Amino acid sequence: MSQTVLPPPLISSALLSAETAVDLLNKTEQGIFVIQDDVYRYANPAMARMMRTSVDRVVGQPWDIFLPPQSLQHAKKTIERRTAGKEGTWGEMKCKRADGTLIDVRVYGRGIRFNDRFALLATLIDVSELREAVRRAQWNGQMLARTEALARTGSMEVECTGGDVYLSSGLLTLLGLDEAAQVGQLDALAWVPAEERAYVAGIWRAAVLGEPFEFQHRVDCADGQRLTVLHRGVLQAKGERGEVGVALLQDITAQRDAEQRIQELANQDEVTGLPNRAALLDHAEAAILAARWDDRAVVLLVIEVPQLRAIRTSMGFGAGDALAMTLAARLRETCASHEMLGQTGDAEFAVVIEVEGEYDQAALSQRATALLAILSAPVMLGSASVVTQCRVGAAVFPRDADTPTVLLESAQAALFDTGGESGIVFFSRDIADRAQRATRIEGGLRQAIAADELTLHFQPQVDLVSGTIRGAEALLRWHSADLGSVSPGEFIPVAERSGLSGAIGEWVLNAACRTLADWQRRGLPPVRVSINLSSAELQQPDLAAHVQRTLLAHGVAPERLGIELTESMLMADVNLAAQVLRDLKLLGVEIALDDFGTGFSSLSYLCRLPIDVVKVDRSFVHDVTAPVEEVSVTRAIINLAHDLKMQVLAEGVETEGQLSLLASSGCDHIQGFWFSRPVPAAEFEAMLSAGKELPEQ
Ligand code: C2E
Ligand code: CA
Ligand code: CA
């Protein structure tokens, strides 16, 4: 059997019987084989097993049967060299087993004399498992490094007793350091800023076995960057070298920066950079605490700038922000050290004043007036000059409130109580009551449309020449389930403040059109119904188109509709108002200027706007017994309006005396209790059908 063919030198050099020697070779776990003349002359069972074949199938076979192509070249050379007697060491290579699978082997070959000729004797060890384990370890290491790099983390091992620290390659990458820095000393880590080294080492030395801990510190990278890391560690076990722990260091610099930015944003107005509501309240709280100690007062002023809102709507956020920044800069400049300026809303600034010495209301009013004056200087926005009309509400600790929030709310309640007029209002008990009622009104109004609590009343407008009804003003009525009847004079301002006037205005427009369509259908004499617009509606740039769509939807001609607006609404943004009014006028809707005489604008200024009718306020409607100067003011208004091709309607005519004076002054139309109060639609229809007229003068 070829199995027993033994290389004679082996036997001759050992004091073994041939059988024993064969037995030994067959039993060894190392593969052993001999190659001569390019064929296998001998192979032991271990070698055959490694190659998943039998000894028979090896001996006599060509030398390369177990070599995959990539190993051929190298193997051939090595065999030649060793056969020629050149010494070598263990080498590793891949072999291809009989079943085609690959195996990693370590080989040691040397030249021998076999049958008196040179041959190669080789020893073979299967290292597949070892190689696989190494490959896995390498792969794991690479993955860890990659993961660490991605997560901007690194790890390290700490030997607390000796103080040795070993850095992972991820940590080296994070710090931008090379292998040389892999080992360090806990107390002298060069990449921890000097002033924080003792802190980092101290935490490790105080660590308790098995109890994870985390803290933040900074690290210096090779490129000079300073990062903040979250350092999580745990002392794992007592090893030969004392207690050993592992730590994960994560770069949280970006996160920290973001947190800081969020913190800033949380405390600052985004546009002006002023302390926001929360920050101002914090400050007020501190001021109140301090003031409590020595019986001093803290004043909170809120300053509302309605134009900020108006300009954002009409000219866009850029213009609004520019205005806010300019006003904030002016206020910042004037505020003294005992005053803290903040921004409590998109159109609201606030100042907390720590009163030094005695509280003096007169002095405070003066201060508020000075602030208003500073704000009211014109601001140029592009080519437009904007003049702000601000209102101030004030509340005082301890008189009006004893917490910062209530102090702010009280000042805001006082602000709302200015009734839209520019000026200063101090908080009072009455204001508190009104504010409470306003809150209930707002709550009720939010339900009013859905609950079907709104109706329109109609007050006839009469032509003084013909004596007939020319139309009606639609006046809103609200009967609240909770509050009973609430007058529009009370709920309209609340609606405007709480952003409800848009929805309410929409309801009024539709209700008016629906009524007009109904009258038209029922063949009543054609009249015009005028509705009151709110400033929010006027600020809708596409108002005219919207009105047109609504008219069309109801099948009502534009000539049947009129709108009433006040000067202050027009003045908030004259350019936008002019555009919207022109569009409405083009449609054929009549435009009336309401409450004329109560504002400050002159008619000649307003003549640039397409106004059809001037509604002279009730305060200009006098009786024949009135002093002559007052009567002449009314006449002058009527004459001027006529010169400007506008008609005049006098409001609030309550007596016959007023009527005759107006008629003799050339007034065109009147409206008032004398002819009729505002009445439900049915009553107005009855007047129309009956052809109610002014009695003959
Ligand atoms: P306004 O537009 O000036 O309406 C005229 C107000 O004077 C009405 O008060 C009317 O009832 C009242 N009035 C009419 N004739 C006389 C009179 O001879 N003597 C006196 N003393 N008063 C008279 P009302 O209905 O309480 O409305 C108050 C204000 O509420 C209105 O003033 C208007 O600004 C607002 N308003 C009413 N309805 C609406 C609406 O639908 N939308 C908007 N935005 N505001 C409305
Ligand atoms: Ca009106
Ligand atoms: Ca009016």
Side-chain angles (χ1 to χ4, degrees):
M1 290 260 305
S2 47
Q3 226 164 314
T4 53
V5 179
L6 259 191
L10 278 180
I11 300 166
S12 59
S13 62
L15 298 170
L16 293 172
S17 68
E19 282 76 33
T20 319
V22 167
D23 205 34
L24 278 179
L25 287 176
N26 284 351
K27 279 183 179 151
T28 176
E29 269 311 302
Q30 293 189 358
I32 293 171
F33 61 87
V34 174
I35 292 174
Q36 190 179 49
D37 300 333
D38 292 342
V39 293
Y40 284 95
R41 291 277 177 234
Y42 168 78
N44 73 346
M47 143 63 165
R49 261 199 314 279
M50 269 180 224
M51 295 304 148
R52 300 208 173 137
T53 183
S54 60
V55 171
D56 297 344
R57 293 173 191 251
V58 179
V59 176
Q61 294 299 317
W63 67 280
D64 58 359
I65 51 163
F66 300 116
L67 290 174
Q70 69 261 37
S71 304
L72 267 180
Q73 218 31 36
H74 176 67
K76 189 173 166 69
K77 275 203 191 111
T78 315
I79 292 171
E80 276 166 10
R81 263 193 248 123
R82 300 285 176 269
T83 314
K86 277 221 170 72
E87 292 279 322
T89 54
W90 285 90
E92 282 193 16
M93 63 189 288
K94 273 203 187 306
C95 287
K96 195 174 82 188
R97 291 187 280 221
D99 63 4
T101 56
L102 292 176
I103 175 176
D104 289 300
V105 292
R106 294 196 80 191
V107 212
Y108 182 82
R110 59 182 300 182
I112 52 165
R113 301 285 295 173
F114 186 67
N115 291 343
D116 267 347
R117 280 183 303 111
F118 288 116
L120 172 89
L121 170 71
T123 317
L124 208 60
I125 305 173
D126 177 359
V127 291
S128 290
E129 277 176 19
L130 194 70
R131 283 291 290 267
E132 183 55 27
V134 170
R135 254 200 299 276
R136 254 179 219 286
Q138 278 171 346
W139 190 80
N140 284 346
Q142 278 168 4
M143 278 311 282
L144 179 67
R146 228 176 284 166
T147 312
E148 285 188 334
L150 270 178
R152 296 198 57 78
T153 54
S155 44
M156 61 184 209
E157 208 177 85
V158 180
E159 284 175 17
C160 278
T161 326
D164 286 341
V165 174
Y166 301 92
L167 276 55
S168 75
S169 60
L171 188 52
L172 290 173
T173 312
L174 185 68
L175 296 168
L177 299 172
D178 54 29
E179 299 277 314
Q182 188 150 37
V183 187
Q185 270 292 311
L186 187 58
D187 300 280
L189 294 171
W191 41 273
V192 175
E195 62 275 21
E196 292 181 32
R197 271 173 216 159
Y199 167 62
V200 174
I203 287 188
W204 269 104
R205 301 233 191 272
V208 178
L209 201 69
E211 278 181 24
F213 55 89
E214 62 174 58
F215 62 107
Q216 293 182 11
H217 61 93
R218 287 167 311 161
V219 296
D220 288 325
C221 301
D223 62 3
Q225 230 189 322
R226 182 164 274 195
L227 306 177
T228 303
V229 292
L230 176 66
H231 189 135
R232 292 197 193 99
V234 63
L235 212 49
Q236 279 181 325
K238 268 191 161 68
E240 291 161 23
R241 292 166 299 173
E243 289 178 331
V244 178
V246 285
L248 201 70
L249 275 68
Q250 187 181 4
D251 174 16
I252 53 161
T253 316
Q255 197 179 322
R256 272 280 294 252
D257 289 351
E259 274 168 12
Q260 206 163 343
R261 179 88 187 106
I262 288 169
Q263 188 66 23
E264 280 169 13
L265 284 179
N267 285 311
Q268 270 182 13
D269 181 82
E270 250 179 289
V271 175
T272 59
L274 288 179
N276 65 10
R277 187 176 184 278
L280 195 87
L281 284 177
D282 278 351
H283 179 81
E285 179 157 39
I288 285 175
L289 270 176
R292 247 194 204 119
W293 278 99
D294 32 48
D295 283 339
R296 280 183 299 115
V298 176
V299 177
L300 201 150
L301 300 181
V302 286
I303 308 168
E304 195 202 24
V305 192
Q307 276 88 350
L308 275 174
R309 224 173 273 129
I311 290 206
R312 282 197 182 101
T313 328
S314 60
M315 292 170 74
F317 277 85
D321 291 352
L323 179 60
M325 283 190 269
T326 310
L327 298 179
R330 286 185 190 173
L331 286 172
R332 212 181 253 135
E333 212 162 276
T334 166
C335 278
S337 62
H338 63 286
E339 298 175 324
M340 189 201 192
L341 174 65
Q343 193 163 355
T344 39
D346 56 355
E348 192 181 278
F349 297 103
V351 185
V352 173
I353 305 176
E354 295 176 63
V355 176
E356 296 160 331
E358 283 290 293
Y359 167 70
D360 175 354
Q361 177 131 350
L364 196 67
S365 294
Q366 242 174 4
R367 179 69 187 126
T369 314
L371 290 175
L372 282 184
I374 286 163
L375 292 177
S376 64
V379 179
M380 289 306 292
L381 290 179
S383 58
S385 165
V386 177
V387 177
T388 60
Q389 291 165 312
C390 309
R391 306 186 286 150
V392 177
V396 185
F397 162 87
R399 192 187 67 192
D400 304 324
D402 59 0
T403 67
T405 319
V406 178
L407 191 63
L408 177 62
E409 283 167 3
S410 305
Q412 283 170 331
L415 178 83
F416 291 143
D417 221 70
T418 56
E421 299 298 314
S422 161
I424 304 151
V425 173
F426 280 85
F427 185 75
S428 66
R429 206 56 263 155
D430 283 356
I431 291 177
D433 295 343
R434 282 196 289 272
Q436 208 177 9
R437 181 163 163 86
T439 311
R440 281 180 71 192
I441 290 179
E442 185 184 329
L445 266 185
R446 290 194 186 278
Q447 334 267 343
I449 294 178
D452 203 16
E453 293 175 345
L454 299 179
T455 45
L456 282 186
H457 277 198
F458 297 86
Q459 185 175 36
Q461 298 179 333
V462 192
D463 189 309
L464 275 182
V465 177
S466 68
T468 55
I469 296 174
R470 74 185 288 267
E473 176 175 4
L475 290 158
L476 193 53
R477 296 292 175 260
W478 175 35
H479 187 90
S480 150
D482 171 30
L483 297 154
S485 283
V486 186
S487 83
E490 192 178 11
F491 74 75
I492 293 287
V494 178
E496 301 217 330
R497 280 206 306 268
S498 44
L500 293 166
S501 52
I504 291 178
E506 180 65 17
W507 183 90
V508 170
L509 174 64
N510 272 289
C513 289
R514 207 180 308 122
T515 310
L516 278 166
D518 183 41
W519 292 343
Q520 201 168 293
R521 220 174 8 253
R522 288 163 43 206
L524 286 154
V527 287
R528 176 184 277 119
V529 168
S530 300
I531 58 171
N532 291 281
L533 283 196
S534 68
S535 38
E537 289 169 275
L538 187 64
Q539 275 155 18
Q540 270 175 248
D542 64 341
L543 178 69
H546 178 67
V547 168
Q548 186 176 27
R549 277 196 299 273
T550 311
L551 286 166
L552 265 174
H554 290 275
V556 172
E559 295 71 37
R560 296 277 82 85
L561 187 71
I563 56 151
E564 298 191 1
L565 346 99
T566 61
E567 289 166 52
S568 56
M569 285 163 61
L570 297 174
M571 300 325 280
D573 186 348
V574 179
N575 294 332
L576 178 76
Q579 186 53 51
V580 171
L581 292 193
R582 265 196 295 275
D583 294 346
L584 282 168
K585 168 108 178 170
L586 271 176
L587 264 184
V589 173
E590 185 186 79
I591 294 159
L593 181 63
D594 209 350
D595 302 343
F596 183 75
T598 55
F600 302 97
S601 43
S602 70
L603 258 190
S604 47
Y605 181 67
L606 292 167
C607 75
R608 294 192 290 156
L609 297 166
I611 293 165
D612 302 299
V613 179
V614 175
K615 292 188 78 174
V616 180
D617 188 69
R618 210 152 61 83
S619 50
F620 291 89
V621 172
H622 309 292
D623 212 277
V624 271
T625 55
V628 67
E629 315 84 67
E630 289 187 2
V631 175
S632 32
V633 172
T634 312
R635 284 218 171 97
I637 296 175
I638 295 172
N639 290 336
L640 184 60
H642 284 163
D643 287 348
L644 295 169
K645 307 275 178 291
M646 299 171 184
Q647 299 176 44
V648 180
L649 185 148
E651 290 192 284
V653 179
E654 294 179 347
T655 65
E656 192 169 0
Q658 290 171 338
L659 178 74
S660 49
L661 189 66
L662 288 164
S664 66
S665 304
C667 182
D668 304 288
H669 319 291
I670 59 124
Q671 176 184 347
F673 293 171
W674 191 75
F675 186 83
S676 167
R677 291 184 168 266
V679 292
E683 268 180 59
F684 181 71
E685 289 161 31
M687 281 187 232
L688 269 187
S689 323
K692 180 174 173 172
E693 286 185 10
L694 277 177
E696 288 287 334
Q697 293 277 311

